[in-house]
Amino acid sequence: MSYATHLVSLYGLPAYTFPGPDARTDDLPDADGFAWRISSDVYDADEDWTVAFTRFCEAVDTTRVRALIVGAWQEAYDTEPTAVIEALVGARDRFPALRALFVGDMESEECEISWINQTDVTPLLTAFPALEEFGVRGGSGLEFPSVRHGALRKLVIEAGGLHAEVVRGVGGSDLPALEHLDLWLGTPDYGGDSEVSDLEPILSGARLPSLRHLALRNSEMQDAVAAAVSSAPVVARLEVLDLSMGILTDEGAAALLGGQPLTHLKKLDLHHHYLTEPLQDRLRQTLAGVELDLDRDDADEDTEDDGTVWRYVAVGE
């Protein structure tokens, strides 16, 4: 399984990359049929993102655009997307149909996920109150102060490490329509300094009455997260629980099995794990009616000569 690759779709629409400055724009596809990806490095043009966005607004009927994907901006490893966000906010009246937005759609060849510089992205939620899906890739410099958004149904934040302030900001937000929350918590080496206590507002579900899909993944503290989830009030209303991509061991899985019933779930995703076969068998037997993803993926252990065992999350750098 690959991670942090270019999006192939957004809001149920196939992704389409807006062509570079030397390409024709008189035969573009329907504005409302695709999720439009705008990038500064299409065809190696190294064009400023805001310039590419201006060309896009001139070439496409933006009143019909339903999904936008922000790809690479220049020197994303060293430059936060302030100008990108300002350009999008400034053009908000030109996008009355926009329902989905993703910021930072870069592969590792463009910029490693933990090198992507971000900033406060919540002005985009304020500017687009009808937005239903919002995603961000990259945790360096990312800010997400608490907000209220009445329409947002899906929120995804992908990172090699999420700062505690971001986790607390999400947990403190009022998102009454949110059905799908996906947080890549990451590792301390890449800024992931949150603790299980920071997740409490999310796990209580008090501000998330519509939540049905919860993903708290890619974490070094996956056992502690699993233990907290085992008694979390929000779990009773979930259809999908995703604790994948992290360092989940028998300790965390046993805590899940020893907590509240999970048989109501449609799916439990634990892929990229460090579980023994006996524990996996217990999961299969206890949750026989639940779709289980127990693919070990590339979760390999390294053992030092002194017996020290190293385990890794799926996405760090």
Side-chain angles (χ1 to χ4, degrees), residues 117-174:
N117 273 267
Q118 288 288 358
T119 185
D120 183 357
V121 295
T122 56
L124 293 169
L125 292 173
T126 302
F128 296 98
L131 213 61
E132 296 179 10
E133 294 188 14
F134 184 65
V136 182
R137 180 175 296 163
S140 180
L142 179 65
E143 297 178 24
F144 198 103
S146 298
V147 295
R148 189 186 193 284
H149 196 288
L152 197 67
R153 296 170 53 193
K154 183 176 182 179
L155 174 62
V156 178
I157 304 180
E158 303 175 353
L162 279 186
H163 290 293
E165 291 84 356
V166 173
V167 176
R168 289 195 290 264
V170 172
S173 295
D174 287 313

Side-chain angles (χ1 to χ4, degrees), residues 3 10 78 137 149 199 204 260 302:
Y3 301 97
L10 182 67
D78 196 39
R137 180 175 296 163
H149 196 288
L199 297 171
S204 77
Q260 63 189 301
D302 291 332

Side-chain angles (χ1 to χ4, degrees), residues 63-106:
T63 64
R64 297 170 55 202
V65 171
R66 294 190 289 161
L68 278 177
I69 300 171
V70 176
W73 52 88
Q74 287 183 306
E75 299 180 340
Y77 54 84
D78 196 39
T79 305
E80 62 185 32
T82 303
V84 172
I85 292 174
E86 289 176 349
L88 289 166
V89 170
R92 58 187 179 275
D93 293 338
R94 302 184 66 169
F95 291 87
L98 190 68
R99 296 295 180 268
L101 179 60
F102 189 96
V103 180
D105 182 36
M106 291 173 242

